[in-house]
C-alpha cells in the first residue's frame, strides 16, 4: 500500500543526497586525508545526523523551526560558523604531503572525531531541516502511520550512510589518495576554500 510513497521518498532522497554539498565535502576530505576508516565514520556521522532531522520532523519541531526566523537563523549561523571553522583550518594547511596509510591519532579518537565532523555538519544544516520538513509534509502523507514514517526515516539514514560510505571508499583508494597527495597542502587549501564558500553561502541564505 505504501510502496509508491516509499519509491517517491527514495527518489527524492537520491536526487538530494547525490548533490554536492557540505556533507560530500567533509566526507571527501576525511577520506583523502585520513583514509577509508575515517571516511566511513564520517559517513556514519552524516547518517546519524539524518536521524536527528527525521526525529524532529516526526515530532513537529521542524515546522516550528521553519516558521521561526530566530530559530532558523540560529541553526544557520551555527552551521555556517562550523563550516567556516573547518574551512579556515584547511586553508592554513602547511606545505606537507598527506602521509598515506598513516592514522592521525588513536583509532578510537580518530573514529569519534570523524563521526562528530559528519554528524555536526549534517545535523546543524538548516537547509536539511527544510528538506526533511518538506519531505514529511508534502511527499509523505501526514496520514501515513507513524511507524511507517519512522521506517522511512530509518531507510533515509541508512541510505545516506551507505552512499557516503561509497564516496569514502572511492576517495580513499590508494591511487586516488596518491593523486591528491602529490598536490600536498594545495588539496587542503582547495577543500578549505570550498567549505568557506559553502559556509558563506549558508550564512547569506534566507528563510523561504
Amino acid at each position: 500500500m505504501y510502496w509508491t510513497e516509499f519509491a517517491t521518498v527514495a527518489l527524492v532522497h537520491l536526487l538530494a543526497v547525490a548533490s554536492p554539498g557540505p556533507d560530500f565535502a567533509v566526507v571527501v576530505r576525511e577520506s583523502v586525508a585520513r583514509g577509508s576508516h575515517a571516511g566511513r565514520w564520517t559517513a556514519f556521522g552524516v547518517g546519524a545526523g539524518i536521524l536527528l532531522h527525521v526525529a524532529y520532523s516526526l515530532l513537529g519541531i521542524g515546522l516550528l523551526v521553519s516558521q521561526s526566523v530566530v530559530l532558523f537563523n540560529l541553526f544557520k549561523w551555527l552551521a555556517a560558523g562550523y563550516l567556516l571553522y573547518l574551512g579556515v583550518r584547511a586553508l592554513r594547511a602547511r606545505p606537507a604531503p598527506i602521509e598515506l596509510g598513516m592514522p592521525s591519532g588513536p583509532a578510537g579518537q580518530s573514529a569519534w572525531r570523524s563521526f562528530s565532523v559528519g554528524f555536526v555538519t549534517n545535523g546543524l544544516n538548516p537547509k536539511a531541516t527544510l528538506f526533511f520538513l518538506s519531505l514529511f509534509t508534502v511527499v509523505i502523507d501526514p496520514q501515513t502511520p507513524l511507524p511507517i514514517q519512522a521506517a522511512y526515516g530509518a531507510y533515509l539514514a541508512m541510505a545516506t550512510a551507505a552512499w557516503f560510505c561509497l564516496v569514502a571508499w572511492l576517495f580513499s583508494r590508494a591511487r586516488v589518495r596518491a593523486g591528491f597527495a602529490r598536490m600536498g597542502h594545495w588539496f587542503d587549501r582547495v577543500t578549505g576554500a570550498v567549505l568557506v564558500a559553502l559556509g558563506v553561502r549558508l550564512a547569506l541564505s534566507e528563510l523561504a
Side-chain angles (χ1 to χ4, degrees):
M1 178 179 180
Y2 298 105
W3 285 111
T4 301
E5 184 177 69
F6 172 75
T8 304
V9 169
L11 177 60
V12 171
H13 173 258
L14 176 63
L15 294 175
V17 78
S19 303
D23 297 337
F24 185 86
V26 297
V27 170
V28 169
R29 185 172 187 276
E30 289 292 306
S31 301
V32 172
R34 296 178 173 81
S36 61
H37 179 77
R40 284 195 304 272
W41 278 102
T42 306
F44 295 152
V46 172
I50 297 295
L51 289 176
L52 178 64
H53 295 301
V54 170
Y56 62 61
S57 294
L58 293 177
L59 293 173
I61 299 176
L63 181 61
L64 175 63
V65 173
S66 70
Q67 298 300 317
S68 171
V69 175
V70 174
L71 287 177
F72 179 85
N73 284 333
L74 175 61
F75 277 96
K76 180 182 74 174
W77 287 108
L78 285 174
Y82 185 68
L83 291 176
L84 289 172
Y85 164 74
L86 292 177
V88 170
R89 284 191 60 186
L91 285 172
R92 297 174 61 187
R94 296 179 180 180
I98 297 172
E99 298 180 12
L100 301 183
M102 296 297 292
S104 59
Q109 179 181 351
S110 177
W112 173 248
R113 177 198 172 279
S114 298
F115 180 89
S116 300
V117 168
F119 180 81
V120 174
T121 299
N122 182 273
L124 287 181
N125 190 348
K127 293 299 184 181
T129 299
L130 297 182
F131 170 78
F132 280 94
L133 174 64
S134 300
L135 189 67
F136 278 86
T137 56
V138 178
V139 179
I140 299 174
D141 190 331
Q143 301 304 316
T144 298
L146 193 59
I148 299 296
Q149 294 192 43
Y152 291 163
Y155 162 79
L156 294 172
M158 291 187 292
T160 299
W163 163 253
F164 283 113
C165 278
L166 175 60
V167 171
W169 179 82
L170 290 173
F171 281 89
S172 63
R173 296 300 86 196
R175 290 185 178 181
V176 175
R177 294 185 72 205
F180 281 110
R182 283 193 293 271
M183 294 185 286
H185 64 294
W186 288 109
F187 168 71
D188 269 345
R189 293 183 177 181
V190 169
T191 55
V194 170
L195 290 169
V196 168
L198 288 170
V200 171
R201 179 181 177 183
L202 180 59
L204 297 177
S205 65
E206 297 181 358
L207 180 60

